[in-house]
């Protein structure tokens, strides 16, 4: 081939540019705040391969075709890149290496073809624009280097080909390397590989890897000059890194209940707007679905510009139910909810701008320790006829029953009473905190008022610390999440020896131990709605189902169930901020229920109960599992 | 409520007190005082002084600051002191254009006398129960006074004056934790006398006064609706504008006797 010297030079130039781009990109991330947990560079980098093959691939695997495509294209590319450097840049002459390179390139080529096929009729969730040229770039890169490597492998004699071939090959190589090397660090679609790999290493929630779960929000240091995130550089640096890892696959968009309801939120677009913010510029090049009802192109931002003034409309942030469906689905393990709550914190704690009922609810929480402003002394009125042991009197019990603010709500009280009936039937030694219990702080925290949350958490912990108990059981998954995953940041020793359980887990235990005698259920088809804060936040999918099975119920599963359950619309303070959309999330969830033909939908959360019962009739009945069990309880007459 | 950009450099003082939540009894931003600050912020933004006489450590003051105030001026008094004289002296010295207060405090004496006493001490007019100040031009303010059932009365009042702010005024904006915790408590030591009269009192939570039963003779839903919403016709009441003062006073006196207020 002519110009033997040209291709090594091009490769070297592309790599050098890539390195410059990488340094520049890293400096954009490093403009963020130091991470809470520092991870050494080498240790971090060493974790990447394992995390790629396990954690990331497990999520990609949910889309089988894409998983194979990614292994072929991505794996082929990484291998090829290494071998290209060895064979073509350093000119190591080895037939084995050259054949290896040919194999890697062939694999990558196949991957490229698979990407091309996926993009022939792309689903609406994936971004178009520059992403549409990616398969061609992959094919050019793999194809051109394949031909270029043939002489080294001894298939073609050295110096084969004329001017034309050389020029065509060179052009393809420049294009291919432009996308694959240069684009990787200068902001093309391939950026996801660079940022994504590093995000695996330096993820803010290291506990998530290796099958772990980390869902509790991180506390705000209330002494800071600015509370919450006002501008991109207020994020932790590894959050910025995370945003940059987005592949715009839109899996989050497809799962987002707010997006489906036509509220102005699209988690994918939000992450892309964060990228616009961290790098500076506008969203004019964004080629995916917009925020419903909002045009693309006019959002502007920069690393030190206030995000909610021109980049993201506050309404977008307040539409989120914090259901975590996006996080669960994201192959790049991006943490949308953290980012959204971080920005809400700024709006609430600095701007005093929580929409609709937000301000009133927060005021009530601060003044009365419950969101509706009821007299704190009326918290235990619901149990006037229940004869419950109160911790203040008994000081000690096996189980602390955390009643939650359901105490003030007549519908939720039916759940509480059913649960008490079951506890008594099983002879559980339990007590309540009575009027000493305060709101868990869930709503305050999700609305961005971490100061109010922290105050409640600390006071609740102080109260609980006076008493002795082994377990806390609650019927409210939101309180459950706070107590189990978020209080430990303020709790010192309390939670070391105390186990926090959801009532379905606890009841299941009682049933398995034969402490509850239950009649078979004979009321028609039943489906089960997984509450977000029980399922995705705490991984409890089985206990409620097992309980239903113990009644002889075969759950007619909805398509969106388990970790893919669709939110009822009640989380994250969404009913309080009440951002208008085209549909109500609860109505969509009820449609999911209806497709199963169920006459009864079992839930494990008072908030879900309220949301689903708010759907106009005719609709299936809604009951908490505790209520269903209590109805089937065979009471022994003494 | 949209305010006209009021061109003059108005000096406004909003007086604030420590409120009390009706359900929990916890100290908080008082409803009406919060509205007085809100109105003050809308009228004078930078030239607003938010003034409190009492304990600067009081946490409830922070929830006013959370509305976005850079500082709160506190005339430092101990809890037994009478606030009226020091407040009056301060206002005399600084000569603001408008002084805004609530109608009635949520704790303490709750008598609602402070604005009256201040107005008396300063010799300024007092406008009770205002809903808004719409405009200030050439030293005259256009004030909307709140009347029952959503009615308003437009008044023109010459500056300076004291006004108490009704619940009909715009609600206080949300209080944010960040600015609340950072605001400066700008202390001023003042001389004060112990409120001897108050020392002898006993405090108890306010109770709702029994309401006079209203017998509605309406037969249809439409009539009941009218009875519930129509402005009171005030049967038997009369408007006396031109009669001599003695006659007017006699009429009031007679009414008080008739209602059993005076015996
Ligand atoms: S945030 Fe995650 S799930 Fe959403 S588009 Fe980006 S990579 Fe895909
Ligand atoms: S948490 Fe739920 S509502 Fe919020 S962006 Fe993610 S999917 Fe949408």
């Amino acid at each position: 081939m002519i110009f033997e010297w040209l291709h090594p030079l091009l490769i070297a130039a592309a790599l050098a540019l890539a390195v410059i781009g990488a340094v520049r990109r890293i400096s954009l991330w490093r403009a963020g705040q130091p991470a809470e947990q520092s991870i050494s560079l080498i240790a971090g980098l060493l974790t990447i391969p394992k995390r790629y093959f396990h954690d990331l691939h497990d999520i990609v695997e949910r889309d089988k075709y894409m998983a194979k495509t990614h292994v072929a294209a991505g794996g082929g590319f990484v291998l090829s890149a290494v071998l290209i450097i060895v064979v073509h840049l350093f000119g190591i002459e080895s037939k084995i290496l050259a054949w290896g390179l040919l194999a890697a390139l062939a694999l990558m080529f196949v991957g490229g073809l698979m990407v091309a096929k996926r993009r022939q009729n792309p689903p609406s969730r994936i971004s178009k624009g520059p992403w549409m040229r990616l398969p061609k770039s992959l094919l050019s890169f793999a194809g051109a280097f394949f031909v270029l490597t043939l002489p080294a492998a001894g298939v073609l004699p050295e110096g084969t080909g004329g001017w034309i071939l050389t020029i065509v090959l060179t052009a393809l190589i420049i294009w291919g390397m432009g996308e694959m090397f240069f684009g990787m660090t200068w902001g093309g679609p391939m950026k996801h590989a660079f940022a994504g790999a590093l995000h695996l290493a330096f993820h803010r929630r290291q506990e998530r890897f290796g099958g772990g779960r980390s869902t509790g929000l991180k506390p705000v240091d209330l002494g800071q000059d600015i509370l919450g995130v006002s501008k991109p550089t207020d994020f932790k640096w590894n959050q910025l890194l995370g945003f940059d890892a987005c592949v715009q696959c839109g899996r989050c968009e497809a799962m987002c209940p707010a997006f489906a309801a036509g509220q102005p939120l699209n988690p994918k677009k939000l992450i892309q707007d964060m990228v616009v913010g961290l790098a500076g510029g506008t969203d004019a090049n964004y080629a995916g679905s917009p925020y419903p009802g909002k045009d693309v192109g006019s959002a502007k931002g920069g690393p030190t510009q206030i995000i909610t003034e021109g980049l993201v409309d506050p309404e977008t942030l307040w539409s989120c139910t914090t259901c975590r469906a996006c996080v669960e689905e994201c192959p790049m393990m991006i943490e949308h909810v953290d980012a959204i709550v971080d920005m809400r914190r700024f709006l609430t704690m600095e701007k005093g701008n929580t929409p609709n009922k937000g301000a009133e609810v927060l005021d009530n929480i601060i003044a009365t320790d419950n969101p509706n402003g009821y007299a704190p002394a009326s918290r235990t009125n619901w149990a006037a006829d229940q004869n419950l042991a109160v911790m203040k009197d008994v000081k000690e019990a096996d189980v602390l029953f955390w009643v939650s603010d359901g105490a003030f709500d007549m519908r939720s009280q039916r759940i509480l009473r059913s649960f008490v009936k079951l506890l008594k039937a099983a002879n559980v030694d339990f007590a309540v905190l009575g009027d000493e219990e305060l709101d868990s702080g869930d709503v305050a925290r999700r609305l961005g008022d971490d100061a109010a949350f922290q105050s409640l958490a600390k006071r609740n912990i102080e109260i609980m610390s006076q008493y002795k108990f082994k377990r806390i059981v609650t019927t409210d998954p939101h309180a459950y999440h706070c107590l189990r995953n978020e209080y430990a940041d303020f709790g010192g020793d309390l939670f070391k020896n105390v186990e926090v359980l959801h009532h379905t887990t606890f009841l299941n235990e009682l049933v398995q131990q034969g402490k509850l005698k239950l009649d078979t259920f004979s009321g028609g088809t039943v489906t089960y709605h997984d509450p977000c804060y029980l399922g995705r936040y705490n991984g409890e999918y089985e206990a409620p189902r097992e309980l239903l099975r113990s009644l002889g119920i075969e759950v007619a599963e909805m398509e969106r169930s388990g970790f893919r359950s669709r939110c009822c619309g009640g989380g994250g303070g969404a009913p309080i901020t009440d951002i208008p959309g085209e549909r109500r999330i609860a109505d969509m969830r009820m449609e999911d229920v209806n497709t199963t033909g169920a006459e009864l939908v079992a839930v494990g959360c008072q908030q879900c109960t309220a949301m689903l019962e708010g759907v106009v009739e005719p609709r299936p009945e809604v009951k908490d599992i505790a209520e269903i069990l209590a109805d089937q309880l065979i009471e022994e007459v003494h | 409520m949209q305010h006209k950009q009021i061109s003059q450099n108005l000096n406004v003082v909003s007086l604030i007190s420590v409120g009390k939540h009706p359900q929990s009894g916890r100290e908080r931003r008082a409803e009406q005082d919060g509205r007085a600050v809100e109105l003050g912020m809308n009228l004078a933004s930078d030239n607003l002084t938010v003034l409190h006489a009492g304990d600067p450590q009081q946490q409830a003051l922070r929830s006013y600051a959370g509305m976005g105030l850079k500082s709160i001026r506190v005339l430092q008094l101990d809890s037994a002191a009478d606030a009226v004289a020091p407040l009056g002296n301060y206002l005399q010295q600084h000569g603001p254009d408008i002084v805004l207060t609530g109608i009635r405090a949520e704790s303490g004496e709750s008598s609602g006398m402070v604005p009256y006493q201040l107005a008396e001490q300063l010799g300024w007019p007092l406008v009770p129960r205002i809903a808004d100040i719409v405009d200030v031009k050439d030293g005259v303010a256009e004030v909307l006074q709140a009347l029952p059932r959503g009615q308003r009365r437009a008044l023109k009042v010459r500056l300076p004056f004291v006004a108490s702010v009704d619940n009909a005024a715009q609600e206080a904006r949300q209080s944010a934790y960040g600015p609340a915790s950072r605001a400066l408590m700008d202390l001023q030591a003042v001389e004060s006398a112990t409120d001897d009269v108050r020392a002898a009192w006993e405090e108890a939570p306010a109770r709702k006064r029994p309401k006079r039963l209203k017998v509605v003779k309406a037969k249809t839903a439409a009539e009941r609706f009218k009875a519930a919403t129509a402005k009171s016709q005030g049967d038997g009441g009369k408007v006396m504008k031109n009669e001599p003062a003695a006659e007017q006073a006699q009429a009031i006196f007679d009414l008080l006797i008739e209602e059993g207020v005076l015996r």
Side-chain angles (χ1 to χ4, degrees):
Chain A
M1 211 166 299
I2 315 165
F3 296 138
E4 294 293 331
W5 49 269
L6 178 62
H7 296 129
L9 200 69
L10 282 176
I11 296 169
L15 288 175
L17 283 174
V19 170
I20 296 172
V23 171
R24 199 181 136 265
R25 205 78 202 170
I26 291 170
S27 74
L28 289 177
W29 304 328
R30 298 298 299 185
Q33 305 301 307
E36 292 97 344
Q37 200 181 346
S38 75
I39 300 139
S40 83
L41 185 65
I42 304 293
L45 295 179
L46 287 177
T47 58
I48 294 177
K50 184 156 169 244
R51 290 179 175 180
Y52 171 80
F53 284 112
H54 289 277
D55 304 282
L56 187 147
H57 197 72
D58 283 354
I59 303 174
V60 181
E61 186 76 46
R62 292 175 193 165
D63 180 343
K64 291 261 166 6
Y65 181 87
M66 208 48 223
K68 292 197 187 99
T69 305
H70 196 257
V71 167
F77 167 66
V78 172
L79 266 179
S80 308
V82 172
L83 290 172
I84 283 170
I85 293 173
V86 175
V87 174
H88 292 290
L89 186 61
F90 298 144
I92 310 273
E93 286 187 28
S94 148
K95 283 237 161 83
I96 301 176
L97 286 178
W99 276 102
L101 177 54
L102 285 180
L105 288 165
L107 183 64
M108 181 178 168
F109 196 85
V110 172
L113 288 174
M114 290 169 82
V115 179
K117 185 166 164 242
R118 159 62 55 112
R119 292 217 163 242
Q120 254 164 17
N121 273 315
S124 68
R125 64 177 166 84
I126 67 178
S127 291
K128 319 294 177 318
W131 292 85
M132 294 310 277
R133 68 165 195 251
L134 187 58
K136 291 175 211 133
S137 310
L138 289 168
L139 295 176
S140 327
F141 184 93
F145 273 108
F146 193 87
V147 176
L148 196 70
T149 309
L150 288 176
V155 179
L156 291 177
E158 295 285 338
T160 318
W163 277 98
I164 307 227
L165 182 63
T166 309
I167 289 171
V168 170
L169 271 188
T170 307
L172 289 178
I173 282 174
I174 291 176
W175 178 7
M177 287 199 304
E179 184 82 276
M180 305 304 294
F181 291 154
F182 178 77
M184 184 178 292
T185 59
W186 287 87
M190 284 308 294
K191 182 187 65 175
H192 81 272
F194 172 55
L198 291 176
H199 188 224
L200 288 180
F202 301 106
H203 198 283
R204 189 173 178 218
R205 293 176 180 273
Q206 295 282 315
E207 306 86 346
R208 282 189 66 191
F209 297 99
R213 193 177 300 279
S214 166
T215 55
L217 293 175
K218 311 264 184 203
V220 175
D221 170 4
L222 295 173
Q224 278 169 328
D225 289 345
I226 289 266
L227 304 176
V229 165
S230 65
K231 48 193 194 300
T233 51
D234 291 339
F235 282 112
K236 304 283 182 255
W237 83 270
N238 46 4
Q239 287 179 285
L240 296 177
L241 165 65
F243 302 146
D244 234 3
C246 172
V247 273
Q248 302 195 37
C249 63
R251 291 173 191 233
C252 53
E253 169 186 321
M255 296 312 289
C256 177
F259 178 80
Q263 289 172 276
L265 168 63
N266 173 350
K268 174 172 94 171
K269 170 80 163 70
L270 182 79
I271 298 303
Q272 283 314 303
D273 283 349
M274 296 299 105
V275 174
V276 167
L278 78 93
T282 76
D283 67 342
N285 292 328
Y286 173 73
S289 324
Y291 297 127
K294 296 214 187 297
D295 294 331
V296 170
S298 51
K300 264 203 291 290
T304 55
Q305 278 165 31
I306 307 276
I307 295 170
T308 43
E309 290 169 7
L311 185 57
V312 176
D313 189 325
E315 279 206 335
T316 295
L317 305 174
W318 295 114
S319 297
C320 175
T321 68
T322 67
C323 73
R324 264 186 101 79
C326 49
V327 183
E328 184 76 38
E329 209 65 21
C330 178
M332 307 311 283
M333 307 187 84
I334 294 167
E335 296 280 347
H336 313 66
V337 177
D338 282 353
I340 289 171
V341 175
D342 279 340
M343 292 183 276
R344 286 183 177 187
R345 286 169 168 173
F346 171 71
L347 292 174
T348 292
M349 288 196 287
E350 291 294 347
K351 293 270 148 198
N353 236 336
T354 322
N356 286 322
K357 291 271 167 215
E360 189 185 320
V361 166
L362 291 174
D363 266 355
N364 284 336
I365 289 176
I366 291 167
T368 63
D369 303 320
N370 71 76
N372 291 307
Y374 294 117
S378 65
R379 186 175 275 277
T380 327
N381 288 5
W382 72 275
D385 57 347
Q386 299 286 315
N387 198 14
L388 301 184
V390 180
M391 275 295 182
K392 208 182 201 163
D393 306 329
V394 296
K395 310 280 183 216
E396 191 173 343
D398 284 346
V399 169
L400 169 63
F401 169 27
W402 186 273
V403 176
S404 85
D405 291 334
F408 295 107
D409 173 64
M410 298 235 278
R411 174 64 184 90
S412 307
Q413 288 167 8
R414 297 210 319 252
I415 303 175
L416 297 173
R417 283 205 193 89
S418 302
F419 183 57
V420 166
K421 184 174 166 194
L422 295 165
L423 288 176
K424 285 181 175 167
N427 281 320
V428 176
D429 170 30
F430 73 100
V432 295
L433 288 174
D435 290 345
E436 287 190 303
E437 188 183 304
L438 312 173
D439 175 83
S440 66
D442 166 68
V443 168
R445 185 164 237 201
R446 292 341 109 177
L447 288 179
D449 195 341
D450 221 45
F453 168 78
Q454 292 186 17
S455 151
L456 286 165
K458 285 178 193 153
R459 286 183 289 144
N460 272 324
I461 289 168
E462 198 182 303
I463 291 158
M464 285 188 281
S465 306
Q466 300 166 14
Y467 307 120
K468 265 209 185 123
F469 49 87
K470 298 188 200 96
R471 301 169 128 189
I472 306 175
V473 180
T474 178
T475 50
D476 174 10
H478 296 265
Y480 172 47
H481 168 65
C482 290
L483 288 164
R484 182 174 179 223
N485 303 321
E486 297 188 340
Y487 272 28
D489 286 331
F490 314 93
D493 298 334
L494 177 63
F495 293 95
K496 282 208 187 103
N497 305 314
V498 169
E499 197 184 4
V500 188
L501 298 172
H502 186 245
H503 72 307
T504 55
T505 317
F506 185 67
L507 288 171
N508 191 35
E509 219 179 272
L510 295 178
V511 171
Q512 301 304 323
Q513 291 167 354
K515 290 193 179 151
L516 287 171
K517 299 219 166 13
L518 300 165
D519 213 353
T520 320
F521 178 86
S522 55
T525 317
V526 179
T527 190
Y528 171 65
H529 163 77
D530 288 273
C532 308
Y533 277 74
L534 182 60
R536 280 187 292 270
Y537 275 82
N538 284 292
E540 182 60 278
Y541 303 109
E542 249 328 288
R545 290 182 165 79
E546 217 166 289
L547 277 173
L548 292 171
R549 274 198 296 274
S550 72
L551 296 174
I553 295 170
E554 206 181 300
V555 178
E557 293 285 1
M558 290 180 263
E559 195 192 313
R560 290 176 185 248
S561 67
F563 71 86
R564 277 194 165 147
S565 169
R566 196 206 304 261
C567 179
C568 69
I576 297 162
T577 53
D578 200 18
I579 304 299
E582 281 152 24
R583 282 168 294 278
R584 291 180 66 250
I585 295 175
D587 290 346
M588 297 190 305
R589 189 54 175 160
M590 202 43 100
E591 279 163 32
D592 293 349
V593 171
N594 282 330
T595 55
T596 66
E599 288 147 67
L600 172 67
V601 46
V603 295
C605 171
Q606 63 210 21
Q607 185 72 22
C608 299
T609 311
M611 294 305 288
L612 294 176
E613 274 192 349
V615 175
V616 286
E617 307 224 33
R619 50 149 176 79
E621 231 189 314
V622 184
K623 275 189 179 173
D624 190 276
I625 292 193
E627 294 177 279
I628 302 175
L629 287 177
D631 286 348
Q632 302 311 116
L633 187 66
I634 303 170
E635 281 172 277
E636 280 158 43
V637 189
H638 295 285
Chain B
M1 257 175 264
Q2 207 55 50
H3 282 89
K4 277 186 216 163
Q5 216 43 55
I6 294 173
S7 54
Q8 274 166 297
N9 267 346
L10 267 189
N11 262 314
V12 179
V13 172
S14 295
L15 298 183
I16 58 172
S17 62
V18 176
K20 202 166 202 165
H21 194 278
Q23 298 297 336
S24 66
R26 206 170 286 172
E27 285 156 345
R28 62 154 182 182
R29 169 174 71 172
E31 281 261 347
Q32 291 165 348
D33 296 3
R35 286 171 208 258
V37 175
E38 179 68 37
L39 181 54
M41 290 175 86
N42 291 332
L43 284 174
S45 54
D46 288 341
N47 282 323
L48 172 70
T49 307
V50 175
L51 182 62
H52 175 71
D55 175 10
Q57 300 298 326
Q58 182 42 257
Q59 274 304 309
L61 299 183
R62 293 269 162 206
S63 57
Y64 291 97
M67 296 169 74
L69 306 175
K70 295 209 174 53
S71 68
I72 291 179
R73 187 149 302 162
V74 185
L75 309 181
Q76 207 166 356
L77 292 182
D78 73 60
S79 56
D82 189 351
V84 174
L87 283 174
N89 294 340
Y90 177 92
L91 294 172
Q92 194 105 54
Q93 237 173 51
H94 290 79
D97 299 309
I98 302 175
V99 176
L100 300 171
T101 73
I103 295 173
R104 190 191 280 159
E106 293 178 3
S107 60
E109 287 179 30
S110 287
S111 62
M113 289 294 282
V114 172
Y116 293 89
Q117 289 174 328
L118 286 177
E120 186 183 33
Q121 190 180 333
L122 295 164
W124 294 358
L126 175 96
V127 194
R129 295 188 175 269
I130 67 167
D132 201 3
I133 295 176
V134 190
D135 198 6
V136 182
K137 237 195 306 204
D138 307 326
V140 176
E142 226 177 277
V143 179
L144 284 184
Q145 200 176 24
L147 302 178
R149 296 173 208 274
Q151 298 176 83
R152 299 286 182 269
R153 178 191 284 145
L155 300 173
K156 287 210 152 88
V157 189
R158 184 158 293 284
L159 303 179
F161 63 90
V162 180
S164 62
V165 178
D166 190 83
N167 282 343
Q170 192 180 340
E171 211 182 323
R173 66 191 66 184
Q174 187 176 350
S175 176
Y177 181 86
S181 55
R182 287 188 286 265
L184 175 77
M185 291 295 151
D186 174 8
L187 304 189
Q188 286 197 0
V190 288
E191 302 217 338
S192 62
T194 306
D195 189 342
D196 294 324
V197 186
R198 197 174 69 203
W201 290 345
E202 205 173 291
E203 274 188 40
R207 257 183 304 152
K208 272 220 168 88
R209 280 189 225 146
K211 249 201 206 145
R212 180 173 303 211
L213 272 183
K214 197 159 81 184
V215 186
V216 178
K217 293 191 203 81
K219 292 224 170 55
T220 65
E223 278 169 357
R224 270 195 298 278
F225 181 72
K226 225 165 121 193
T229 55
K231 84 178 193 196
S232 61
Q233 292 304 314
D235 302 341
K238 53 185 164 198
V239 180
M240 303 173 80
K241 269 186 180 159
N242 305 319
E243 289 80 350
E247 212 173 295
Q248 292 180 354
Q250 186 62 43
I252 294 174
F253 188 70
D254 289 349
L255 180 76
L256 292 178
I257 297 227
E258 193 185 310
E259 293 283 330
V261 178
L262 295 179
R263 251 171 259 175

